[in-house]
Amino acid sequence: QGQLVESGGRVVQPGGSLTLSCETSGFPLSSYGMHWVRQAPGKGLEWIATIYYRGTHQFYADSVKGRFTIYRDTFQKTLYLEMTSLNADDTAVYYCARNGLREVSGGHFCDSWGQGTLVTVSS
Amino acid sequence: EIVMTQSPATLPVSPGERATLSCRASHSVSRDLAWYQQRPGQAPRLLIYGASTRATGVPARFSGSGSGTEFTLTVSNLQSEDFAVYHCQQYYDWPLTFGGGTKVEIK
């Protein structure tokens, strides 16, 4: 199983921007699709973005489409989530997660999760 | 969007007993259904994928069943570490969607 460590969460003002990082180890990032999933305080899990293992396709939830960008650096073994135009509804713990199947453009469940990083949008 | 509905929201169970959790999809997801366990303050942990395949290291007391729109997670002989929130997730279609979760609590 891989290891995932998120960082970058902090308090940010409404309308602000923030980039989260997810350092990976123990597996080749180029062989796995990756996901970002968030959890607002006291709420359930919400999928927000996926990047295919080839890096050729990205998918976004409607709630973040046009504002968030998922990308990766396979040499740095790091996944990123760039977030812009943040609002209070974006306040959540953000998890990065590894796709459960290797080198397939499907099977989008998550078999490894990071510990999460908290983003708070508040003035 | 495929809406996932979990029931009940809270399930009181005594240690050593069996818990049966339900997850319903608004449209068929075939068997593209995963279950996760989330303990307080922790990240989710994959338990089941493909509706019934246990993930690596998951004890045999966890079992999943179902297909189409109706799915069940059964936890037999509940241990203290099993009291947690359980989430289902469909990966049949975009957007990926989770259920609202079922909290299994000590009765």
Side-chain angles (χ1 to χ4, degrees):
Chain A
Q1 296 255 338
Q3 301 259 353
L4 307 169
V5 179
E6 302 94 335
S7 62
R10 62 174 174 87
V11 178
V12 61
Q13 292 192 337
S17 300
L18 192 62
T19 297
L20 305 181
S21 301
C22 171
E23 293 188 24
T24 71
S25 60
F27 66 96
L29 186 56
S30 59
S31 293
Y32 286 86
M34 296 293 294
H35 311 278
W36 286 98
V37 176
R38 69 184 180 184
Q39 187 169 35
K43 302 296 185 181
L45 300 172
E46 179 189 14
W47 165 80
I48 55 173
T50 294
I51 184 166
Y52 270 5
Y53 81 98
R54 292 184 186 272
T56 53
H57 292 78
Q58 298 82 35
F59 295 84
Y60 299 94
D62 285 346
S63 58
V64 306
K65 196 173 295 182
R67 300 190 299 124
F68 289 14
T69 302
I70 184 172
Y71 62 100
R72 68 184 189 179
D73 183 331
T74 55
F75 294 102
Q76 296 294 327
K77 300 181 181 181
T78 302
L79 176 74
Y80 299 95
L81 184 69
E82 180 182 11
M83 306 184 293
T84 63
S85 302
L86 286 162
N87 59 65
D89 291 339
D90 298 315
T91 294
V93 173
Y94 285 72
Y95 296 101
C96 67
R98 188 181 78 171
N99 198 59
L101 300 179
R102 174 175 178 156
E103 294 180 345
V104 295
S105 299
H108 297 298
F109 57 92
C110 304
D111 74 339
S112 295
W113 297 67
Q115 85 289 349
T117 188
L118 176 62
V119 174
T120 302
V121 183
S122 173
S123 54
Chain B
E1 173 176 321
I2 298 175
V3 177
M4 307 301 292
T5 302
Q6 291 186 243
S7 60
T10 304
L11 181 61
V13 184
S14 298
E17 293 191 340
R18 172 183 297 179
T20 302
L21 289 67
S22 175
C23 176
R24 174 175 293 177
S26 61
H27 299 83
S28 175
V29 299
S30 187
R31 294 180 60 82
D32 292 343
L33 191 285
W35 289 95
Y36 303 89
Q37 176 194 66
Q38 187 175 28
R39 297 172 178 142
Q42 296 188 16
R45 166 199 178 198
L46 177 67
L47 296 176
I48 301 284
Y49 63 94
S52 61
T53 302
R54 276 190 301 276
T56 302
V58 175
R61 63 180 183 272
F62 292 89
S63 63
S65 63
S67 65
T69 62
E70 300 282 344
F71 300 89
T72 300
L73 175 69
T74 301
V75 187
S76 303
N77 186 24
L78 269 160
Q79 304 296 299
S80 58
E81 62 266 30
D82 300 335
F83 291 95
V85 176
Y86 293 83
H87 307 272
C88 64
Q89 178 226 333
Q90 68 81 18
Y91 51 95
Y92 181 79
D93 198 9
W94 303 100
L96 309 180
T97 48
F98 290 87
T102 291
K103 181 179 181 180
V104 177
E105 64 178 27
I106 298 175
K107 185 176 182 180

